[in-house]
Structure formats: C-alpha cells, structure tokens
C-alpha cells in the first residue's frame, strides 16, 4: 500500500501536475477506494477548521513583513552597511552576501524572499569587482536558505502546526544552528579564496568612519528582530501576534525612510495575497491527504514495518536523512515538508528523538533541498537575478561547497543534539 501511494505521488509530480492538485487528487482517490468516499463528505468542515487555525495567520503576516522591507529600500541600505563591516575578509562582498541574508532572514522568515532581495542588490558587484561568478552566486543561493532556519521562520511555524510542537521553542532552537551555518558558509568562502586568491575579486576599501556611519542602516532589521522575537519570549505576544506587531513596525520604519505610499502598500498586499494563496492551498490539500492516510492506518503500518526491521534509532535517522536529501532533488521544500512530516514524525517520535531537535534537523534538510539541483528553488531565484544571463550550471556548481557545509551541520546536530535543544531547555 505504501509503495502504491509513493508511486502515484511521484508519478503525478513527474507529470508536472501542480503539487496542490497532486495532494488533493491523491487524497480524494484514496478516500474513494479505501473508505468509500466518507472522508470527502467531511472535507468542507475539515478544511474550514484547519484554515482558521490561529497559528496559520502568522504565515501571511511574515510574508507581508518581508514585502514591506523589500519595497521600502531597507534591504539595500542593510546590504551596504553589512558590506562595510565584512568586506575586509578574504572573499570581500561574498561575506556580505551571507551576512545580509542572515540579517534579512531574522525579519522575513522566507528563503525565497531573502535570496531574491539580497541577490538583486548584490549581483552587479560580480562584474564590478571581478568575483568568481559561480562562487558568488553560490553564496547568494546558500545564504538565502538561512531564511527558514533563523527565527522567525515560516517553515518552523508549519512544522509546529503539523507536529503540535511549540513554535517559540523551535525558534529558540534555530538560533545556534542558524549562526553556525552562517559561519560555516563564511569559512567555505575563506577556504575557497585561500586556495584560489583570484576568486575573491578586487579588495573593498572601507574606513572605520564609513563603518560607524553605516551602523544606523543596520538598526531597522535589528529592531524588527527584537520586536518580533523579543515580544514572543517576554510573553507579550504569541508568534501570530508578534508577526502582526512586526508588520506595524515595518510600516513605521518605511514611513521614517519616506518610502511609505499607498501604491507601495497595495503592491505589498497583492504580492502577499498571491504567495499566501499558493501556500495555503498546498497546506490544506496536504492536511486532507494526511487525514485520509490516518484513517487508513498507513502511518501505524509504517511504524510497525520499521520495528520489524530491528534498526536502531540512529540507523533509522540516517535512513530518514538520506531519504530527504534524495527527495529534495525532485520536490519543492514546502510540498516535501507537508507531505512527509505527518508520516515521518510519528516514526521519529516512536524512536525517542526530541521533536524540537528534529524540527531543526528537518529544516536544515529543507535548506539542502533549496540548493540541490534539478529542483533547488533558490538556484532558480538566483539565476533569475542575472541580468547578463549565463548558464544555470554556474549557480549549481557554486552552491555545491555550501551543501557540504550543510551536511557538516547535520553531522554536528547528530553528534551534539544540545546545539538545538540547549537554548529552549534553558528558557522552558
């Protein structure tokens, strides 16, 4: 049964059927064949109950927050400021790419928004300073993945919803691994430029006076991060309320920079509605499919099958990691998360792994999928920012060393689980 479900799912994806339709069709078909269509009769009420889930309101709020930051020009000022502080390192502005992505990730919650924003600002520097283009593009693609690991993160909200895990704990758990991954990316750049000095481009000369004068441009994203995350951990707001507060704060910052206008807000609202509609239809279709699979007993059958194999918990986890690395080559990350976690998570919980730790592990695996060809979404977003054109392989090859850095972080998380759980344990 499980094999048949997987074959149907993969077949529809390969046929280029939209993923929401894939999930919906599969759910309705399985319901009709195995439960005589009884679940479909409940579909309206079930989807309504899921769509008004309070935590889901945070998703459009964080999307809107990123849209306002982008259109207010805050990202451009931020990149310039970060560049003045990090460009002295071997690799110059490639460190600014990673650093800017990390800072922007702390406000947007979205990898695609992060890489599109920073990539648009940074790309002209390749030709201007003669950087190695594949490596430069790789820093953008990889740095953009930090958007779903460093809090606030839309991916962690969805994981918390699917597994009934505390979102504030997940946010805390992502801080140390997120900082480590950003550091690993910068070490990759330093090593590459040490081996091939010409890849680092021409030096960027900046005085201490320029650096100090740029500090005010770093304040807006840091203020937003403090407002959103700080309001959660001081108990003043839930994640959903914190996202709403962040939007109000972003509008205020846009007004301060005289970038606020009715047209800008309308464009931000329209883009947010398009993105939210796409995300929500996938979520609701996936939740319905999981609802049907639960009634069919598929999850319990998988758990029983794994028990029969006699694998240790660590062997099982290694198989899960390999499974996600391979699946990430062919599926978009949101779809992969929504379709697999309801099946995989019960296995992980049954094996005794911490749900908060696994949330960070699965997020890092989602990050790897974002830069893994042929379906790595960030690779296409970065390629789309190339005004001079070029081969898609340039982006793929440039991102490869950063995939190795992600695998290194996975190894650290397996060896030292406290990297993810220590901070939540201290607070909660």
């Amino acid at each position: 049964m499980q094999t048949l479900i997987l074959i149907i799912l993969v077949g529809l994806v390969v046929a280029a059927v939209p993923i929401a339709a894939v999930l919906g069709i599969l759910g309705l078909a399985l319901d009709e064949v195995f439960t005589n269509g009884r679940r479909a009769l409940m579909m309206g009420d079930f989807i309504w109950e899921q769509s008004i889930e309070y935590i889901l309101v945070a998703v459009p709020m964080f999307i809107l927050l990123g849209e306002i930051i982008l259109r207010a020009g805050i990202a451009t000022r931020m990149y310039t400021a970060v560049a003045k502080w990090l460009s002295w390192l071997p690799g110059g502005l490639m460190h600014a790419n990673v650093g800017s992505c990390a800072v922007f990730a702390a406000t947007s919650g979205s990898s695609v928004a992060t890489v599109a924003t920073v990539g648009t600002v940074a790309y002209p520097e390749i030709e201007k300073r003669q950087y190695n283009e594949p490596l430069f593009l790789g820093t953008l693609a990889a740095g953009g993945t930090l958007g779903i690991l460093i809090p606030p993160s839309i991916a962690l909200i969805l994981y918390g919803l699917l597994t009934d895990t505390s979102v504030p704990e997940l946010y805390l758990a992502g801080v140390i691994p997120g900082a480590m991954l950003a550091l690993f990316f910068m070490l990759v750049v330093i090593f590459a430029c040490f081996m091939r000095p010409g890849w680092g481009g021409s030096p960027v000369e900046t005085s201490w006076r320029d650096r100090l004068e740029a500090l005010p441009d770093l304040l807006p994203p840091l203020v937003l991060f403090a407002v959103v995350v700080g309001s959660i951990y001081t108990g003043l707001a839930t994640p959903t309320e914190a996202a709403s507060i962040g939007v109000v704060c972003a509008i205020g910052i846009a007004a301060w920079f005289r970038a606020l206008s009715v047209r800008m807000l309308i464009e931000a609202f329209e883009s947010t509605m398009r993105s939210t509609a796409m995300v929500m239809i996938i979520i609701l279709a996936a939740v319905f499919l999981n609802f049907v699979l639960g009634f069919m007993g598929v999850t319990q059958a998988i758990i029983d099958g794994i028990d029969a194999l006699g694998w240790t918990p660590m062997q099982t986890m290694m198989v899960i990691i390999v499974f996600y690395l391979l699946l990430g080559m062919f599926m978009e990350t949101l779809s992969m998360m929504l379709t697999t976690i309801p099946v995989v998570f019960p296995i992980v919980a049954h094996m005794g792994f911490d749900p908060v730790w696994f949330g960070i592990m699965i997020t890092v695996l989602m990050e790897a999928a974002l830069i893994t060809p042929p379906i790595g979404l960030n690779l296409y977003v970065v390629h789309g920012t190339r005004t001079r054109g070029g081969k898609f392989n340039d982006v793929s090859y440039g991102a490869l060393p950063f995939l190795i850095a992600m695998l290194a972080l996975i190894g650290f998380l397996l060896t030292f689980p406290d990297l993810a759980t220590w901070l939540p344990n201290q607070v909660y």
Side-chain angles (χ1 to χ4, degrees), residues 29-215:
L30 292 173
D31 177 48
E32 184 65 34
V33 172
F34 296 100
T35 61
N36 297 321
R38 292 193 297 271
R39 306 283 82 76
L41 298 176
M42 305 165 58
M43 190 174 185
D45 288 339
F46 179 78
I47 288 180
W48 171 251
E49 290 175 2
Q50 298 299 317
S51 64
I52 61 174
E53 185 75 37
Y54 183 63
I55 191 69
L56 278 181
V57 180
V59 174
M61 288 294 102
F62 279 124
I63 294 174
L64 178 58
L65 177 59
E67 292 289 340
I68 293 172
I69 292 171
L70 172 62
R71 285 170 169 76
I74 297 172
T76 303
R77 293 185 178 92
M78 174 197 70
Y79 182 83
T80 302
V82 172
K84 290 178 179 179
W85 280 93
L86 296 180
S87 57
W88 61 273
L89 292 166
L93 293 179
M94 287 188 277
H95 295 287
N97 295 345
V98 176
S100 297
C101 285
V103 175
F104 191 80
T107 59
S108 74
S110 166
S111 281
V112 172
T114 300
V115 71
T117 301
V118 178
T120 301
V121 176
Y123 181 75
E125 299 294 335
I126 298 177
E127 186 174 17
K128 180 180 178 181
R129 298 194 176 275
Q130 299 300 307
Y131 285 104
N132 176 264
E133 188 162 351
L135 185 63
F136 193 94
L137 296 172
T139 61
L140 292 171
T145 65
L146 296 170
I148 62 172
L149 181 59
I150 296 176
S153 164
I154 294 174
L156 290 177
I157 289 175
L158 295 178
Y159 174 85
L161 175 67
L162 292 169
T163 63
D164 197 25
T165 304
S166 167
V167 173
E169 288 190 50
L170 289 168
Y171 276 5
L172 277 177
V175 172
I176 294 176
M180 285 182 62
L181 189 57
L183 178 61
F184 286 178
F185 288 164
M186 295 175 73
L187 289 175
V188 168
V189 174
I190 290 173
F191 178 77
C193 292
F194 176 77
M195 299 299 293
R196 299 288 182 91
W199 287 4
S202 59
V204 180
E205 296 182 2
T206 306
S207 66
W208 277 104
R209 180 178 179 179
D210 291 336
R211 294 189 181 107
L212 294 175
E213 289 178 348
L215 283 178

Side-chain angles (χ1 to χ4, degrees), residues 356-373:
V356 173
W357 173 86
F358 184 65
I360 302 305
M361 177 65 76
I362 203 74
T363 303
V364 177
L365 289 167
M366 296 301 107
E367 289 185 301
L370 285 169
I371 60 171
T372 306

Side-chain angles (χ1 to χ4, degrees), residues 118-345:
V118 178
T120 301
V121 176
Y123 181 75
E125 299 294 335
I126 298 177
E127 186 174 17
K128 180 180 178 181
R129 298 194 176 275
Q130 299 300 307
Y131 285 104
N132 176 264
E133 188 162 351
L135 185 63
F136 193 94
L137 296 172
T139 61
L140 292 171
T145 65
L146 296 170
I148 62 172
L149 181 59
I150 296 176
S153 164
I154 294 174
L156 290 177
I157 289 175
L158 295 178
Y159 174 85
L161 175 67
L162 292 169
T163 63
D164 197 25
T165 304
S166 167
V167 173
E169 288 190 50
L170 289 168
Y171 276 5
L172 277 177
V175 172
I176 294 176
M180 285 182 62
L181 189 57
L183 178 61
F184 286 178
F185 288 164
M186 295 175 73
L187 289 175
V188 168
V189 174
I190 290 173
F191 178 77
C193 292
F194 176 77
M195 299 299 293
R196 299 288 182 91
W199 287 4
S202 59
V204 180
E205 296 182 2
T206 306
S207 66
W208 277 104
R209 180 178 179 179
D210 291 336
R211 294 189 181 107
L212 294 175
E213 289 178 348
L215 283 178
D217 291 331
L218 289 175
L219 286 178
L222 295 178
V223 167
L224 285 171
F225 178 79
V227 167
V228 173
V229 178
S231 62
I232 295 174
Y233 295 114
T234 55
L236 296 175
T238 65
T240 300
E241 293 165 345
S244 303
I245 294 170
V247 169
V248 174
C249 187
I251 292 174
I253 292 173
W256 176 267
F257 284 112
R258 298 181 179 180
L260 183 63
S261 66
V262 174
R263 180 175 181 179
M264 186 272 276
L265 287 176
I266 290 175
E267 290 176 352
F269 292 153
E270 288 179 348
S271 182
T272 300
M273 290 175 65
R274 285 193 295 269
S275 299
T276 302
M278 178 191 70
V279 170
M280 288 300 297
I281 194 171
I282 295 174
I283 291 173
L284 296 176
V287 169
F288 177 71
L289 173 59
N290 298 327
F291 177 57
V292 173
L293 293 177
F295 269 90
M296 291 170 57
V298 171
T299 301
Q300 188 58 47
I302 293 174
I303 292 174
D304 293 341
I306 289 178
D307 282 341
L309 293 173
W311 290 346
T312 65
M314 188 54 67
Q315 287 174 329
T316 304
M317 181 56 63
M318 294 303 296
V319 171
I320 290 173
I321 290 171
V322 172
F323 164 74
Y324 273 108
L325 289 173
L326 294 175
L327 191 64
M329 297 173 65
F330 305 102
M331 283 189 74
E332 186 269 328
T333 52
L334 176 63
S335 308
M336 182 165 59
M337 175 179 282
L338 293 170
T339 53
T340 60
I341 284 180
V343 177
V344 172
F345 180 76

